Amino acid sequence: MKKKTIIIISVCLAVFVLALVLLSVFLKRHDAQNGDSARNIYLSYMEKVKTYEHSTEGMSNYFPIPEGYLEGEHEDSDFMAAVNPYDTPEQWESLKGVDARVEASQIVDKILKAASTREIVIYCMNYNLYPEVLYYGSYDEGVAVANEHFNGFTALFEHPDYAQALLDLYAAYDLEYQSTHDAQYATRLAYIHALFYRLILDAQLDADQAQQFARMCFANLSTILNSDGRYEPNLCMFVGVFALYCSDENFTALIDSIPIAGQYILDANIDEASAISDPDLDRIVNYIKEFMAEPAE
């Protein structure tokens, strides 16, 4: 079955030049000294995305829990609402309207109260309606709606260590494993990135956490760009840059000195992005190279 392309809102910028340059930061076989080269790298990879075919037959519809993330023995299916599209398909299909499906997707309060922070994170990964986050006018709005409609998020945000629990999930997330076990691997990764975008936007990560996430995000980007095209890189690129922009005042100053780059990060302005000059792109590339070369604290 051909991998269905994820329909993502305009902030996922398939043509944004800053994103193109980031690719060359990680592909060692390419010269990263000019923006034109980076554009070509990006376009070459996106051709792989267009033609990539991958069967999800036999793969799980539950979120595959990363190895070592939870203590004890668990089944992936343990963290689903009682009514869901996979275990109770007829009951799910009988629900008419979004409100009925939202109500059926709630987790029993008694279960959430007894669950650890990391267990609640897995419930959130399995939220029946999680793909809807990606189809609103912005990721900010999509995650806000999910927060409002799903009691799993309400319970999660009552735990003081929720941000670290999400970071630990991202650190344990293996792109290769997920893409061979999770039937919704590409959409699920986009969902995780959208959640982090909202956390960063709301300043729910401190500067060290945001930079930790940026490093992991760029490392995942490297894995994606050296793959066969199974993942789209756009949201990973955007959220990584956004995390660094919001946590590193020197990078903030650099981006703010390039008005078009600032419009990308703050306004998702696609139309003007191609006007960024190669010298400005090189400045961004060099900064991120230095950032990635620094030892993580």
Side-chain angles (χ1 to χ4, degrees):
M1 181 180 74
K2 189 170 183 178
K3 180 173 74 69
K4 183 177 180 181
T5 300
I6 303 172
I7 303 172
I8 296 182
I9 54 170
S10 62
V11 79
C12 181
L13 305 175
V15 296
F16 181 58
V17 181
L18 175 56
L20 310 186
V21 172
L22 292 181
L23 309 186
S24 65
V25 176
F26 307 103
L27 298 181
K28 296 180 180 179
R29 64 183 181 273
H30 291 285
D31 180 4
Q33 294 305 308
N34 64 73
D36 183 62
S37 173
R39 291 183 180 90
N40 291 334
I41 294 168
Y42 177 80
L43 294 174
S44 175
Y45 179 79
M46 290 308 291
E47 286 301 313
K48 291 183 181 180
V49 173
K50 291 178 183 178
T51 59
Y52 181 72
E53 295 187 6
H54 182 58
S55 173
T56 58
E57 184 177 355
M59 293 169 63
S60 175
N61 284 302
Y62 312 119
F63 175 67
I65 303 169
E67 184 177 357
Y69 185 68
L70 295 183
E71 295 182 357
E73 297 293 327
H74 301 278
E75 297 292 332
D76 296 338
S77 57
D78 291 344
F79 299 91
M80 296 291 299
V83 177
N84 63 73
Y86 318 115
D87 301 315
T88 58
E90 293 182 0
Q91 189 173 353
W92 180 256
E93 288 299 323
S94 71
L95 297 172
K96 304 302 180 184
V98 175
D99 290 344
R101 292 191 171 188
V102 166
E103 183 177 354
S105 298
Q106 305 308 302
I107 307 301
V108 176
D109 286 339
K110 183 178 180 180
I111 292 175
L112 289 176
K113 288 179 181 178
S116 69
T117 309
R118 290 189 177 195
E119 288 172 339
I120 298 174
V121 166
I122 303 302
Y123 278 113
C124 291
M125 291 301 102
N126 281 312
Y127 175 41
N128 286 339
L129 301 175
Y130 85 86
E132 300 298 319
V133 167
L134 305 175
Y135 298 103
Y136 282 84
S138 69
Y139 292 116
D140 180 27
E141 181 183 359
V143 174
V145 171
N147 291 353
E148 181 180 346
H149 288 174
F150 182 48
N151 66 346
F153 282 115
T154 303
L156 179 64
F157 296 143
E158 290 175 351
H159 287 238
D161 59 339
Y162 75 87
Q164 189 59 53
L166 285 166
L167 282 169
D168 292 342
L169 176 74
Y170 197 76
Y173 197 94
D174 185 294
L175 295 176
E176 177 65 25
Y177 181 84
Q178 294 294 329
S179 68
T180 56
H181 290 77
D182 185 358
Q184 304 176 55
Y185 67 92
T187 309
R188 195 99 61 180
L189 183 62
Y191 169 62
I192 294 171
H193 283 135
L195 293 179
F196 272 100
Y197 172 65
R198 179 61 189 249
L199 290 179
I200 298 162
L201 188 67
D202 290 348
Q204 297 302 304
L205 301 181
D206 62 31
D208 288 341
Q209 290 175 322
Q211 291 188 25
Q212 176 190 354
F213 172 73
R215 290 180 190 279
M216 293 189 295
C217 211
F218 293 146
N220 277 340
L221 179 59
S222 175
T223 299
I224 290 171
L225 297 172
N226 284 288
S227 74
D228 48 13
R230 70 188 63 184
Y231 287 101
E232 293 184 356
N234 301 301
L235 185 53
C236 184
M237 287 186 281
F238 173 77
V239 180
V241 172
F242 186 66
L244 190 58
Y245 177 83
C246 293
S247 61
D248 183 326
E249 61 183 14
N250 292 324
F251 187 65
T252 305
L254 171 59
I255 295 298
D256 287 347
S257 72
I258 308 169
I260 296 169
Q263 289 169 11
Y264 159 62
I265 290 175
L266 300 177
D267 303 325
N269 189 319
I270 299 174
D271 294 337
E272 299 296 329
S274 61
I276 298 178
S277 69
D278 282 354
D280 283 336
L281 295 179
D282 291 342
R283 291 166 61 202
I284 296 168
V285 168
N286 290 334
Y287 192 97
I288 295 177
K289 277 186 172 180
E290 292 177 4
F291 169 75
M292 292 299 290
E294 295 171 358
E297 295 182 0

